[in-house]
Amino acid sequence: MAESGATLSNLSTESRVFPPSEEFAAQANATAELYDRADADREAFWAEQADRLSWSKKWDKVLEWDAPFAKWFVGGQLNVAYNCVDRHVEAGNGDRVALNWEGEPGDSRTITYADLQREVSKAANALTGLGVGKGDRVAIQLPMIPEAAIAMLACARIGAMHSVVFGGFSPGALKARIEDAECKLLITSDGQYRRGKPAPMKENTDEAVAGTTIEHVLVVKRTETDVPWTEGRDLWWHDTVETASDQHTPEGFDSEHPLFILYTSGTTGKPKGILHTSGGYLTQSAYTHHVAFDHKPGESVYWCTADIGWVTGHTYIVYGPLANGATSVMYEGTPNTPHEGRHWEIVQKYGVSIYYTAPTLIRTFMKWGDDIPAKFDLSSLKVLGTVGEPINPEAWMWYRKNIGGDRCPIVDTWWQTETGSTMIAPLPGVTPTKPGSAMRPLPGISATIVDESGTPVGNGEGGYLVLDKPWPSMLRGIWGDEERYRETYWSKFAEQGYYFAGDGAKYDEDGAIWLLGRVDDVMNVSGHRISTTEVESALVSHPTVAEAAVVGASDEMTGQGIVAFVILRGSAAKDGGDDAIKALRDHVSKEIGPIAKPRQIMVVEELPKTRSGKIMRRLLRDVAENRAVGDVSTLADSSVMEMISSGMQEGKED
Ligand code: PRX
């Protein structure tokens, strides 16, 4: 790959702009002067944001930055669970609903802040009774049930760290994470509902726990499945937690006291245990949830569709919203159980006003068809959010029209497990939006796009996204591996002291930021560095395409040639004939230029995705280059690759 000069070509242009409506702007939490205020004095700005929280001891200093190690709100003390629960009860809001929980089979639970205070206190007492204390690690593998949030908050309350592992991870993956963090306790369930049927959980976690540091396994009953039982080690949640006292006095912990470890596997390699601490993390989580979603306590009904096993679930199901006294919806199941309108039915039932989801799901909704959301009353919606991948402009437009009724601002939020909370996003009511752009860093956050030498690029140019100033919710390290922390994030631009996010990005002519995918996926065609995102978005802008993934495959003539895998929309799904393929290739050429015209296009039924919904282009590269497909252990559905590889034999080329 070319190592100097333009790091990424700027191929697409987008002329659609949506300024905030006057009506929305008039009631928005955020105002334009936030940007200036934060620029004028960043530390004072963050100190103001930290005042959203209740501190048992005020901090002495806002920031201590000994690169790459930050301490925020130095000397301050707080209890994270008290901030998320008790203080709302003390303020007279004990009757406010914290969680409207919707089970996959159709059962539901309503949990108020007063209920949550009792439940978290009981769980905290139970954990203490099991010998779990300050600094100990607790592994949690649970379905999307209220006990998942309760368990996390109980850990936070007693100063123990949680390590939540997504419910779909295998026993091997869970075991590796338990071993790396030397967890003392595992909290799990008997089973979990998957697409309408109970699937085993405890049976798998037993396999993971064998021979590890786990002393006890606390088991929530969810599916009433028969489970294997080890006397002395295993305990039922309903025997242990339900019987504990519901009185518990929270203690203040240091602002830098560790709150959790969350493993992120990326697409390859040993998972990294990303470490987050208390005061800074909660400050930025609460602040971003307030301004980027325009959340109004006691009024908004907020739904983040992520799983608690990902950082989005940590920050925007548990910590951010609860710190802000939000009323949330939490849904246990898959979006098409028992029908493809399930999400819209839930929006209608609870009057959801803020809906936050991932592009992969939006593209799936597009594939299922416009007629499905059209059957439901979505008029309660006020703000829509997206996170996890670049959102293709056409998917953004679809979301705006079919879900947001052409009236709701869309906040495209860029961030990472490592950043802890949102970094780049428009402020609803303030920042005009463009379909597909995350627009600009939030007030208080500084991000830049630089070239290979670390020099900022100009408008209309692409490069590497870096974060050039520390931020409160930044990761504090990789658990047990300082060297890897320095190497992964701080070595590429060591001289400048920039955090390297691993993403490509560009400024458009107006200086708005467009995320262009992981730099490892960038393609090099005849010396032009082309982002996967731009070609994929060009494909998705064709009316027949619901989803696309492109990769660079070695090519004798051009270095790499672009190979595209596309999923067609419902009505077009049968038409993968030569004419249709030619039309798609020509469409890309017309939209962004002949250089980006795919050499080959394959129509597929599914794309390989990680369990959090990100496309695994590495595996598609193997297929495109006729290699044996590499490690598929992080794939959500490993059979997808067999399907694609066998189809590739009949792939079309011209
Ligand atoms: O590549 C970016 C992409 O997701 C990566 C972070 O993934 P993870 O740690 O799993 O966290 C996901 C939830 C915060 C980023 O490096 N990404 C995330 N949000 C966006 C995005 N890419 C483009 N636009 C986004 N809004």
Side-chain angles (χ1 to χ4, degrees):
M1 281 203 180
E3 281 298 316
S4 60
T7 37
L8 268 175
S9 301
N10 174 12
L11 295 175
S12 60
T13 46
E14 174 61 66
S15 54
R16 291 168 291 195
V17 185
F18 297 91
S21 72
E22 268 172 43
E23 195 191 346
F24 195 101
Q27 57 82 64
N29 289 347
T31 51
E33 56 86 43
L34 273 188
Y35 290 111
D36 301 332
R37 199 138 52 84
D39 282 346
D41 188 342
R42 265 167 43 83
E43 292 191 16
F45 177 82
W46 282 117
E48 212 179 287
Q49 302 313 321
D51 277 335
R52 297 175 178 280
L53 307 180
S54 304
W55 297 78
S56 52
K57 178 171 172 285
K58 174 98 178 171
W59 62 88
D60 311 311
K61 203 174 161 196
V62 174
L63 169 67
E64 226 173 75
W65 179 226
D66 179 11
F69 297 98
K71 287 187 180 151
W72 281 88
F73 310 114
V74 185
Q77 289 183 353
L78 80 171
N79 186 288
V80 168
Y82 171 83
N83 271 280
C84 291
V85 183
D86 306 57
R87 65 171 177 150
H88 305 309
V89 179
E90 286 170 15
N93 294 318
D95 291 339
R96 182 186 294 167
V97 175
L99 292 178
N100 282 304
W101 177 81
E102 185 80 7
E104 193 184 79
D107 49 342
S108 61
R109 281 161 73 183
T110 308
I111 298 176
T112 64
Y113 276 94
D115 296 333
L116 197 58
Q117 184 182 35
R118 284 188 290 272
E119 295 305 317
V120 173
S121 295
K122 285 194 274 186
N125 284 322
L127 261 56
T128 307
L130 292 173
V132 176
K134 186 175 167 181
D136 286 339
R137 273 83 59 204
V138 175
I140 300 176
Q141 189 173 42
L142 280 172
M144 286 288 288
I145 53 177
E147 284 76 8
I150 293 165
M152 289 163 76
L153 290 164
C155 290
R157 195 173 183 96
I158 62 171
M161 301 156 70
H162 53 72
S163 164
V164 181
V165 179
F166 176 61
F169 271 124
S170 68
L174 175 60
K175 190 186 196 88
R177 287 158 176 76
I178 288 174
E179 284 176 338
D180 189 70
E182 297 174 286
C183 298
K184 216 169 172 176
L185 174 75
L186 169 70
I187 306 179
T188 188
S189 64
D190 53 350
Q192 60 179 331
Y193 285 103
R194 293 311 291 168
R195 300 183 196 288
K197 288 194 207 79
M201 186 86 138
K202 167 110 183 9
E203 226 176 281
N204 297 344
T205 56
D206 272 3
E207 209 182 311
V209 161
T212 67
T213 43
I214 293 288
E215 293 167 11
H216 289 287
V217 179
L218 194 52
V219 190
V220 180
K221 191 169 259 185
R222 171 61 185 138
T223 53
E224 310 273 336
T225 315
D226 279 339
V227 291
W229 204 255
T230 304
E231 282 305 328
R233 184 195 70 186
D234 299 349
L235 302 152
W236 285 109
W237 177 281
H238 56 259
D239 289 338
T240 317
V241 176
E242 289 309 316
T243 55
S245 159
D246 62 9
Q247 300 296 309
H248 183 274
T249 310
E251 175 193 342
F253 296 104
D254 192 273
S255 176
E256 282 300 328
H257 186 69
L259 181 61
F260 64 83
I261 306 174
L262 182 59
Y263 286 85
T264 171
S265 44
T267 43
T268 48
K270 176 175 178 266
K272 303 183 281 279
I274 303 299
L275 176 67
H276 284 286
T277 61
S278 305
Y281 170 79
L282 197 63
T283 296
Q284 195 178 328
S285 302
Y287 156 69
T288 53
H289 176 262
H290 179 75
V291 293
F293 295 128
D294 198 47
H295 172 261
K296 309 272 198 278
E299 205 182 295
S300 305
V301 178
Y302 165 82
W303 183 15
C304 165
T305 72
D307 191 281
I308 221 131
W310 313 122
V311 74
T312 309
H314 283 55
T315 307
Y316 295 113
I317 293 180
V318 180
Y319 293 112
L322 292 175
N324 290 338
T327 295
S328 298
V329 167
M330 182 175 179
Y331 171 53
E332 182 183 33
T334 42
N336 53 352
T337 306
H339 58 80
E340 290 171 348
R342 186 73 192 264
H343 274 212
W344 318 126
E345 189 176 67
I346 293 174
V347 167
Q348 179 177 289
K349 172 170 172 187
Y350 293 103
V352 171
S353 56
I354 306 168
Y355 177 80
Y356 187 33
T357 196
T360 176
L361 198 54
I362 297 167
R363 292 186 305 251
T364 303
F365 292 141
M366 276 169 77
K367 190 170 68 181
W368 289 344
D370 309 359
D371 53 316
I372 293 171
K375 288 186 207 126
F376 298 89
D377 177 5
L378 306 180
S379 61
S380 58
L381 288 169
K382 292 210 162 83
V383 177
L384 302 178
T386 149
V387 62
E389 277 186 297
I391 178 161
N392 318 107
E394 254 3 272
W396 193 103
M397 290 301 297
W398 185 92
Y399 194 29
R400 181 182 155 86
K401 174 165 181 262
N402 294 282
I403 308 304
D406 282 325
R407 93 192 156 262
C408 303
I410 298 183
V411 287
D412 177 358
T413 63
W414 179 89
W415 57 294
Q416 308 178 297
T417 305
E418 292 85 344
T419 70
S421 53
T422 298
M423 304 293 284
I424 306 178
L427 286 176
V430 176
T431 322
T433 55
K434 299 184 182 189
S437 169
M439 300 309 294
R440 59 183 291 189
L442 287 175
I445 299 299
S446 187
T448 317
I449 303 170
V450 299
D451 67 14
E452 195 67 42
S453 70
T455 310
V457 303
N459 285 358
E461 290 174 7
Y464 301 111
L465 180 70
V466 297
L467 302 169
D468 55 353
K469 295 203 174 74
W471 63 100
S473 67
M474 66 190 284
L475 76 167
R476 300 303 197 261
I478 295 178
W479 183 253
D481 202 342
E482 185 180 318
E483 196 37 49
R484 193 172 178 199
Y485 171 62
R486 290 180 185 276
E487 173 59 31
T488 311
Y489 305 109
W490 302 94
S491 64
K492 189 165 174 73
F493 298 108
E495 206 178 303
Q496 297 86 350
Y498 294 161
Y499 169 91
F500 173 52
D503 282 352
K506 71 172 188 188
Y507 292 118
D508 68 13
E509 296 303 334
D510 304 324
I513 295 177
W514 293 73
L515 275 305
L516 298 177
R518 302 294 295 169
V519 295
D520 297 343
D521 292 332
V522 166
M523 304 172 291
N524 192 332
V525 182
S526 306
H528 297 273
R529 294 168 69 109
I530 297 177
S531 112
T532 50
T533 304
E534 292 198 311
V535 182
E536 286 163 5
S537 290
L539 284 162
V540 175
S541 75
H542 193 273
T544 59
V545 178
E547 194 155 14
V550 306
V551 297
S554 34
D555 188 292
E556 276 179 24
M557 297 291 291
T558 57
Q560 284 188 316
I562 300 177
V563 178
F565 299 80
V566 300
I567 300 180
L568 298 178
R569 287 214 207 184
S571 52
K574 295 277 171 286
D575 189 7
D578 288 354
D579 290 350
I581 300 287
K582 180 168 182 310
L584 288 182
R585 295 180 67 232
D586 291 345
H587 178 72
V588 174
S589 181
K590 182 172 124 282
E591 288 293 304
I592 57 177
I595 184 75
K597 188 172 184 171
R599 177 182 87 184
Q600 194 177 355
I601 296 183
M602 246 198 99
V603 175
V604 294
E605 296 279 317
E606 276 305 334
L607 289 169
K609 290 188 184 158
T610 63
R611 290 171 181 82
S612 64
K614 293 191 207 299
I615 297 171
M616 290 187 70
R617 295 180 186 75
R618 173 174 62 79
L619 298 179
L620 293 174
R621 255 190 321 264
D622 290 342
V623 174
E625 296 189 333
N626 296 317
R627 269 196 306 275
V629 173
D631 181 11
V632 294
S633 61
T634 48
L635 263 187
D637 175 2
S638 55
S639 65
V640 169
M641 284 320 295
E642 286 160 33
M643 232 154 67
I644 295 176
S645 305
S646 62
M648 189 71 183
Q649 317 304 325
E650 310 143 22
K652 294 172 182 71
E653 207 162 344
D654 64 14

